[in-house]
Amino acid sequence: MPVYLDHAATTPVLPEAIEAYTSALTRVGNPASIHSAGQDAKRLLEDAREQVAATLGCQGIEVVFTSGGTEAINAAVKGLYWARRKAGATRVLVPEGEHHATLDTVEWLAASEEAEVEWLPLDDRGFLRLDALEAALTREPASIALLTFLWANNEVGTIQPAQRIIALAAAAGVPVHLDAVSAYGHLPIDFAALRAATGSTGRAGLAALSVSAHKIGGPIGAGALVLSRDAVIVPLLHGGGQQRQVRSGTQDVAAAAAFAVAAAAAEADRAAESARLTVLRDRVIDGVRRLVPDAVLNGPEPPRAAPGEPGDARLATNAHFTFSGCEGDSLLFLLDAAGVEVSTGSACQAGIPEPSHVLRAMGRTEDEARGALRITLGRTSSEADVDAFLAALPAAYAQASKAGLATQESAFGLRA
Ligand SMILES: Cc1ncc(COP(=O)(O)O)c(C=O)c1O
């Protein structure tokens, strides 16, 4: 069995979630139907909604089931934008280094819907520059349609000070969407408490939050948009008016049931798993540094005095390095051949590896950004997995460095 260390891409589906999914699939009934089969389906669906809501600190009615994180983000960002544009607000504030679900959505709004996108810079550890945010919020706040940002960066693991950021937006009267896809299951998420602590009221401050089931042991193709009862959005999908008219379409009861089981399991173990994974993460970090002293850790340095405590601004599941003189993809292929599955963390466009836009936003050169490797842990990860990765790394690194050197030599005409 290969060693799987790419939990940020997706996670193994929990057996209990598979059981809930397949059991629900054997039942007939559209939850919108009045007859008994329909009402049974509705009960299962609404129980799932309540269970998911309990893991997010919101009311059941605020949970809008979607086909995943990408759809939730599209619905929130486009929906808030369209609603605010009616009042003449067209500026969209967004940090650099967001997930493509956000990047491509706001770029589409700029290209097709008259949005003016303002990219907010990151510092060299991946934190949003709060001075830049404050400056953007000060300039004509009424012209800002929304702020959207990523709570925990899926590539480099940086955890943003979400409460601080939302409070600044709330004070300026700006609605906020929070991409919590990579935070879910790892950080405590309490939508109502976060709204209260940030002075979010009515339509200012935290309005919407996106999560995805497959990052926490649920099925791919399920997710949720948490939408405050006060928030006003224009829906992305029109049709039967299900889910508060926000997301029309017959609801996927089986996906919701499986999602709810995974969410409850993730929440039940969250604190213990965080502590366990923090120790494993630091074993990865220490091991890589011992084996390849030139490797550079991207994102925040873990606080060794109190692993996993407040102040640890790095996801417990994430170790992300750049290896100079190597292509991250070469390392990835060599490790895969040795039975260890990791990632470079960045997207491939049409099969061609792209240097990470997150690392570029953090000030790394294009060459540095190419040598990236992301190791991400999850519920099934063990010390043996970490040690298998560390055992395979030196040979993969030596070979990838040789290939990197050969490429450089041929680029500079040193070889035929
Ligand atoms: C931070 C973040 N946002 C959004 C998404 C998209 O979620 P989904 O895969 O459910 O569409 C992902 C998935 O990789 C992610 O990591």
Side-chain angles (χ1 to χ4, degrees):
M1 274 283 275
V3 169
Y4 185 75
L5 293 173
D6 195 15
H7 289 256
T10 196
T11 56
V13 183
L14 284 179
E16 310 90 280
I18 296 174
E19 162 63 27
Y21 192 81
T22 49
S23 150
L25 279 180
T26 61
R27 298 158 68 156
V28 69
N30 181 330
S33 298
I34 307 292
H35 50 61
S36 302
Q39 292 309 298
D40 284 349
K42 183 169 182 184
R43 213 165 301 119
L44 197 54
L45 177 69
E46 296 312 324
D47 284 352
R49 201 185 306 279
E50 290 298 332
Q51 253 178 305
V52 169
T55 66
L56 290 164
C58 65
Q59 297 169 19
I61 192 162
E62 293 175 313
V63 172
V64 177
F65 285 123
T66 65
S67 64
T70 301
E71 185 194 324
I73 291 166
N74 270 263
V77 172
K78 290 176 183 167
L80 285 169
Y81 173 76
W82 286 326
R84 296 271 293 174
R85 185 177 58 176
K86 289 183 185 160
T90 52
R91 289 165 61 207
V92 177
L93 305 188
V94 55
E96 292 172 341
E98 293 291 296
H99 188 272
H100 269 285
T102 298
L103 290 185
D104 292 25
T105 297
V106 300
E107 278 173 0
W108 180 82
L109 286 174
S112 311
E113 299 289 301
E114 296 143 12
E116 299 159 67
V117 178
E118 287 179 31
W119 297 102
L120 304 171
L122 304 182
D123 70 12
D124 60 355
R125 292 182 302 157
F127 290 109
L128 170 59
R129 292 263 309 273
L130 294 182
D131 53 346
L133 172 65
E134 281 176 291
L137 288 169
T138 312
R139 267 192 323 276
E140 286 186 70
S143 67
I144 303 172
L146 73 143
L147 163 70
T148 179
F149 73 98
L150 183 51
W151 195 340
N153 189 282
N154 51 295
E155 270 186 51
V156 297
T158 307
I159 300 170
Q160 301 294 344
Q163 188 169 321
R164 187 86 206 279
I165 293 170
I166 296 165
L168 289 171
V174 171
V176 177
H177 164 254
L178 185 53
D179 174 357
V181 169
S182 38
Y184 196 30
H186 306 296
L187 301 181
I189 300 182
D190 189 328
F191 187 74
L194 197 48
R195 273 177 59 80
T198 52
S200 298
T201 51
R203 294 162 191 193
L206 185 60
L209 176 151
S210 296
V211 293
S212 179
H214 74 100
K215 308 288 185 178
I216 57 158
I220 289 176
L225 172 67
V226 178
L227 185 66
S228 154
R229 298 178 74 150
D230 305 329
V232 179
I233 69 166
V234 173
L236 200 55
L237 300 183
H238 297 89
Q242 291 89 341
Q243 306 201 79
R244 294 161 61 194
Q245 312 259 5
V246 171
R247 206 264 188 178
S248 283
T250 300
Q251 297 185 72
D252 188 342
V253 179
F259 178 11
V261 166
E267 185 53 26
D269 293 353
R270 187 175 45 73
E273 270 295 273
S274 249
R276 186 183 76 85
L277 293 174
T278 300
V279 173
L280 283 188
R281 173 198 70 187
D282 293 350
R283 191 179 179 90
V284 174
I285 293 173
D286 293 345
V288 170
R289 283 175 162 162
R290 192 177 62 249
L291 296 166
V292 186
D294 284 349
V296 175
L297 179 73
N298 297 302
E301 187 66 35
R304 298 316 169 104
E309 292 299 310
D312 191 345
R314 173 170 211 109
L315 275 178
T317 50
N318 175 291
H320 186 286
F321 282 94
T322 38
F323 294 85
S324 69
C326 279
E327 286 284 335
D329 285 280
S330 307
L331 271 173
L332 188 158
F333 287 124
L334 289 159
L335 287 167
D336 190 36
V340 181
E341 294 167 335
V342 295
S343 163
T344 60
S346 59
C348 240
Q349 299 277 343
I352 301 163
E354 294 264 292
S356 155
H357 69 283
V358 178
L359 292 177
R360 298 287 287 131
M362 289 162 63
R364 307 294 193 273
T365 64
E366 199 164 306
D367 275 350
E368 285 167 337
R370 283 188 186 284
L373 202 67
R374 179 185 73 179
I375 299 98
T376 49
L377 309 161
R379 182 181 273 270
T380 56
S381 302
S382 64
E383 218 170 75
D385 291 346
V386 171
D387 292 349
F389 160 69
L390 294 173
L393 182 64
Y397 175 66
Q399 213 173 326
S401 304
K402 238 188 270 164
L405 199 61
T407 313
Q408 276 173 24
E409 284 176 350
S410 74
F412 288 109
L414 300 174
R415 283 174 137 218

